[in-house]
């Protein structure tokens, strides 16, 4: 069972996911202290993640004090509180609870609520339920953390680049990350290798080898990212910490409230400057900054690659996975044939996978381009699960694949595009193609414009990429601070750009460059008691001087 926090905006909380790749996982276990002994009614919040089929892949049971409760969970459509029955709590006032996964196929459990009152139904509306849960759990108001010069929200390479650049130049940084590990798409949870120009030494330090997407090489790369970031004495990392709202004073962010995804303990981070490196642009969105999502019309920015009419299409989300050849298992008796790695029937997956067969996932296993990659994210991820499991069933029907075993599969989706926060400048197609020499062009790239589209046909989980070769271009610093929120930087794919403008710089070396630039700008702001916009108007020479010291030799700034 793993803690899955990706879908809090959709269903309200982190939840436990039985991510077994077809093999039941070990029981999740805890012991609960009750206020008094007696009989308690209980409700379980869960869902059937393939409600369109008669088969249910993600079922589980509850075990109370080593006694299995007869009801099967994970069979209800949509996230619901299911009233199940009663359980006895004896004089010790303790109850050992276990979740017993029955299938290994992504069963999920959010919470269990106990009450002595038969009709004490938990609320279902998200805002009301969130307040109710805080009250029931006795969560106190947010604790204010030590003061920081800069708060960076988002632990991908953009956020890491910002934190390291700022810390090395002497200011105190809080780096808030809602996952247990840093690295974002380059982390061992998602496993995408990094691409783009490196430009700055910090980007070189954070970048990965060009391992195959989904490869175990990401584990060592993740260790390196953690070592680089945590080696900075001016950075305090807050893992498993999810931002959920901001507080403002006029057009400035005053603080960001967060909670720990395992304990729900709440923390408030105050600072004069903030970086939105969340990818989904949450900090800017909560603060009321102008955001865009989807494709602009061709006429709005005179972009040939844009559609005639604006729409909500974005690039989609990917779940990577791979397999390995294993040796035949020895049989129990010498006269029996060696055992091979089998696989179960997955009828609930076949209407997605159909007859597709592949032995690893790649970038083009991508879904959700015509959906909302934020608010439909769980449905998108689960559709990819079905594609992968159904595909694997097809692979295992071939005798030549008898000894192939699924080795690893992500459960955290790799995202390419969602919200973009508008700055004083919006990067567009002509900027990337015509490469004007911006005086504040501190991020540079030469990677193609790479925009993904649904492939069409019978496999709706596959895409294709439209590549447009370009010359080296610059991205102005004005794309990295909000035009509306005076003390907010942004780094990563939530930069100020059009859909087409995002097509090239969305890769991780480029976004890490953005982080280095905004981290440096935060230092300039701190030392000169100014705001991000004033850096452009009054301190460009200082920015150029500071960044020049971090540039790596041109021949090393590899593509």
């Amino acid at each position: 069972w793993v803690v899955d926090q990706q879908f809090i905006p959709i269903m309200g909380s982190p939840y436990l996911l039985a991510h077994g790749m077809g093999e039941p996982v070990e029981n999740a276990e805890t012991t609960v202290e009750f206020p008094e002994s007696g009989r308690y009614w209980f409700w379980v919040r869960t869902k059937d993640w393939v409600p369109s089929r008669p088969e249910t892949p993600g079922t589980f049971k509850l075990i109370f004090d080593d006694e299995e409760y007869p009801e099967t969970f994970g069979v209800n459509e949509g996230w619901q509180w299911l009233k199940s029955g009663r359980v006895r709590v004896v004089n010790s006032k303790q109850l050992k609870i276990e979740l017993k996964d029955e299938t290994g196929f992504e069963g999920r459990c959010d919470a269990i609520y106990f009450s002595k009152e038969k009709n004490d139904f938990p609320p279902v509306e998200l805002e009301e339920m969130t307040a109710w849960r805080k009250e029931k759990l006795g969560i106190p108001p947010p604790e204010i953390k030590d003061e920081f010069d800069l708060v960076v929200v988002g632990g991908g390479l953009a956020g890491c680049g910002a934190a390291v650049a700022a810390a090395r130049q002497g200011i105190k940084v809080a780096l808030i990350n809602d996952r247990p590990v840093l690295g974002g798409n380059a982390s061992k949870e998602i496993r995408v290798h990094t691409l783009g120009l490196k430009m700055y030494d910090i980007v070189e330090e954070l970048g990965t080898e060009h391992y195959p997407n989904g490869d175990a090489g990401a584990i060592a790369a993740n260790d390196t990212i953690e070592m680089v970031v945590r080696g900075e004495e001016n950075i305090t990392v807050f893992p498993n910490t999810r931002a959920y709202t901001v507080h403002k004073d006029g057009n400035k962010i005053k603080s960001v409230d967060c909670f720990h995804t395992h304990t729900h303990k709440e923390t408030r981070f105050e600072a004069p400057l903030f970086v939105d490196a969340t990818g989904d642009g949450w900090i800017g969105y909560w603060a009321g900054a102008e955001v865009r999502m989807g494709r602009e019309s061709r006429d709005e920015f005179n972009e040939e690659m844009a559609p005639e009419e604006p729409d909500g299409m974005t690039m989609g989300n990917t779940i990577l996975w791979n397999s390995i050849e294993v040796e035949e298992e020895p049989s129990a008796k010498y006269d029996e044939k060696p055992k091979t790695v089998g696989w179960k029937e997955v009828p609930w997956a076949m209407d997605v996978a159909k007859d597709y067969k592949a032995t690893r996932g790649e970038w083009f296993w991508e879904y959700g381009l015509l959906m909302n990659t934020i608010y439909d994210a769980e449905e998108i991820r689960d559709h990819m699960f079905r594609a992968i499991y159904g595909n694997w069933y097809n692979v295992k029907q071939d005798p030549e694949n008898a000894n192939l075993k699924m080795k690893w599969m992500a459960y955290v989706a790799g995202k390419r595009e969602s919200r973009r926060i508008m700055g004083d400048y919006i990067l567009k197609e002509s900027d990337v193609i015509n490469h004007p020499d911006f005086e504040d062009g501190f991020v540079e790239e030469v990677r193609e414009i790479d925009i993904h589209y649904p492939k069409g046909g019978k496999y709706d989980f596959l895409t294709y990429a439209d590549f447009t070769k370009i010359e080296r271009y610059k991205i102005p610093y004005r794309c990295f601070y909000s035009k509306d929120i005076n003390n907010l930087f942004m780094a990563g794919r939530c930069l100020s750009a059009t859909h087409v403008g995002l097509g090239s710089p969305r890769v991780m070396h480029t976004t890490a460059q953005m982080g280095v630039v905004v981290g440096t700008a935060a230092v300039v702001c701190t030392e000169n008691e100014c705001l991000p916009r004033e850096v452009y108007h009054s301190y460009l020479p200082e920015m150029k001087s500071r960044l020049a010291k971090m540039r790596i030799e041109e021949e090393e700034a590899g593509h």
Side-chain angles (χ1 to χ4, degrees):
W1 293 87
V2 295
V3 176
D4 193 344
Q5 51 57 258
Q6 301 169 86
F7 314 117
I8 294 170
I10 306 166
M11 51 72 68
S13 63
Y15 62 79
L16 292 179
L17 178 77
H19 187 56
M21 297 185 292
E23 295 295 328
V25 300
E26 291 185 14
N27 291 2
E29 179 182 315
T30 191
T31 299
V32 179
E33 296 278 349
F34 284 76
E36 57 183 88
S37 58
R39 285 185 171 270
Y40 286 81
W41 297 91
F42 68 94
W43 290 256
V44 181
R45 191 166 188 249
T46 181
K47 72 180 291 188
D48 175 359
W49 65 273
V50 191
S52 59
R53 297 284 309 185
E55 313 88 6
T56 303
T59 59
F60 65 94
K61 293 286 186 72
L62 292 181
I63 299 175
F64 297 120
D65 281 343
D66 300 321
E67 184 176 339
E68 186 174 301
Y69 192 77
E71 185 172 352
T72 298
F73 296 94
V75 296
N76 55 287
E77 184 171 350
W79 282 104
Q80 296 181 43
W81 289 101
L82 298 184
K83 185 179 181 182
S84 299
R86 286 199 291 180
V87 63
R88 182 186 294 277
V89 177
V90 294
N91 292 333
S92 66
K93 301 180 185 178
Q94 289 187 337
L95 185 66
K96 179 183 170 186
I97 306 173
E98 296 175 75
L99 302 182
K100 178 186 176 183
D101 174 32
E102 292 192 308
T103 67
F105 286 124
E106 318 303 337
R108 52 204 72 183
C109 179
D110 170 25
I112 306 171
Y113 173 55
F114 297 89
S115 175
K116 284 197 167 184
E117 300 296 326
K118 181 177 182 179
N119 295 317
D120 188 14
F121 287 88
V124 295
E125 194 276 324
L126 288 188
E127 187 173 342
E128 182 185 359
M129 181 173 62
T130 299
W132 171 85
R133 289 172 80 140
K134 287 184 182 182
E135 178 189 352
K136 293 296 182 185
L137 291 168
I139 303 296
E143 171 188 318
I144 298 176
K145 273 294 175 186
D146 298 337
E147 289 189 9
F148 294 94
D149 300 306
L150 178 68
V151 170
V152 180
V153 187
L157 258 62
C160 290
V164 173
R168 285 186 181 175
Q169 296 175 76
I171 69 174
K172 192 174 179 182
V173 183
L175 179 57
I176 299 167
N177 188 35
D178 64 0
R179 301 299 314 166
V181 293
L182 298 169
N185 280 352
S187 72
K188 62 186 178 183
E189 294 184 314
I190 301 176
R191 301 190 182 183
V192 179
H193 58 248
T194 57
L195 290 174
L197 291 179
K198 295 178 181 176
M199 287 293 295
Y200 299 110
D201 52 9
I202 293 171
V203 181
E204 177 113 74
E205 293 174 54
L206 295 171
T208 73
E209 297 295 325
H210 199 283
Y211 51 75
N213 284 330
D215 190 78
I219 299 172
N222 205 155
D223 291 342
T224 299
I225 294 167
E226 294 275 352
M227 179 182 66
V228 170
V229 175
R230 293 178 182 273
E232 297 296 328
E233 63 179 5
N234 285 330
I235 298 175
T236 306
V237 180
F238 296 88
N240 294 313
T241 301
R242 175 87 177 190
Y244 69 88
T245 194
V246 304
H247 301 280
K248 290 169 58 182
D249 181 4
N251 286 335
K252 293 174 67 176
I253 296 174
K254 185 178 179 182
S255 61
V256 172
D257 285 354
C258 307
F259 71 90
H260 195 281
T261 56
H262 294 192
T263 66
H264 212 105
K265 181 181 178 182
E266 299 197 355
T267 306
R268 177 167 294 169
F269 294 87
E270 296 179 343
L273 297 164
F274 294 84
V275 177
D276 189 331
T278 63
D280 288 335
W282 281 112
I283 306 305
Y285 174 74
W286 289 323
E290 181 186 341
V291 298
R292 288 176 177 244
M293 189 165 173
R295 302 192 294 180
E296 290 80 8
S297 70
R298 186 170 301 169
D299 291 341
E300 184 175 2
F301 293 96
N302 193 27
E303 295 178 308
E304 288 297 319
M305 298 181 204
E308 289 189 9
E309 298 295 330
D311 61 30
M313 186 175 127
T314 62
M315 287 175 275
N317 301 349
T318 290
I319 294 289
L320 291 173
W321 63 279
N322 57 38
S323 62
I324 188 173
E325 185 109 11
V326 298
E327 294 182 4
E328 293 179 334
E329 297 178 7
S331 58
K333 298 180 180 178
Y334 67 89
D335 57 345
E336 291 180 354
K337 291 183 179 180
K339 297 178 182 178
T340 56
V341 179
W343 186 246
K344 307 167 184 178
E345 291 189 354
V346 286
W348 43 266
M350 302 315 299
D351 56 341
V352 176
K354 300 181 173 63
D355 59 352
Y356 198 77
K357 288 198 293 187
T359 57
R360 67 177 300 124
E362 253 296 348
W363 64 264
F364 50 81
W365 285 63
E366 177 183 1
Y367 188 65
L369 294 82
L370 304 177
M371 303 168 72
N372 186 304
T373 52
I374 297 175
Y375 292 104
D376 297 326
E378 188 176 25
E379 182 181 346
I380 292 168
R381 194 275 309 271
D382 291 349
H383 194 85
M384 294 304 302
F385 276 162
R386 295 173 72 192
I388 294 165
Y389 285 131
N391 163 88
W392 193 245
Y393 175 81
N394 294 331
V395 167
K396 294 301 295 181
Q397 302 316 297
D398 188 338
E400 293 185 1
N401 298 325
N403 292 326
L404 272 184
K405 181 178 182 180
M406 194 177 291
K407 181 182 180 183
W408 174 84
M409 178 169 59
Y411 65 92
V412 181
K415 283 188 177 182
R416 294 175 175 85
E417 181 182 3
S418 55
R419 294 191 192 100
R420 305 180 302 279
I421 303 169
M422 295 300 100
D424 277 354
Y425 194 89
I426 301 175
L427 188 74
K428 53 191 179 297
E429 179 185 307
S430 61
D431 299 320
V432 178
I433 291 178
N434 299 330
H435 48 86
D437 188 20
F438 294 109
E439 62 176 344
D440 59 338
F442 301 137
V443 172
E444 299 183 30
E445 193 47 79
V446 72
R447 184 179 180 272
E448 306 94 332
I449 298 175
D450 168 14
I451 301 177
H452 295 192
Y453 298 91
K455 193 170 186 178
K458 62 197 255 186
Y459 310 116
D460 64 1
F461 52 90
L462 302 179
T463 63
Y464 73 94
D466 188 1
F467 291 97
T468 302
K469 289 188 176 181
I470 55 172
E471 296 181 33
R472 189 165 177 146
Y473 68 95
K474 296 180 178 181
I475 306 175
Y477 163 72
R478 287 163 289 164
C479 294
F480 309 137
Y481 61 86
S482 167
K483 69 180 182 64
D484 303 307
I485 307 301
N486 295 341
N487 62 339
L488 178 64
F489 295 103
M490 50 268 190
R493 57 184 174 85
C494 58
L495 83 155
S496 180
T498 66
H499 168 81
V500 176
L502 181 68
S504 169
R506 60 184 175 80
V507 293
M508 283 182 276
H509 287 162
T510 328
T511 60
Q513 285 189 60
M514 299 176 199
V516 171
V517 170
V518 302
T520 301
V523 176
V524 173
C525 288
T526 302
E527 294 185 355
N528 294 282
E529 297 184 351
C530 69
L531 294 169
R533 180 176 282 115
E534 295 172 73
V535 172
Y536 171 70
H537 289 293
S538 303
Y539 296 99
L540 283 189
E542 182 176 348
M543 283 288 290
K544 290 176 182 178
S545 175
R546 287 178 176 273
L547 290 169
K549 297 174 183 177
M550 291 186 274
R551 285 183 71 109
I552 58 178
E553 293 296 324
E554 190 62 28
E555 59 266 23
E556 295 178 7
H559 177 210

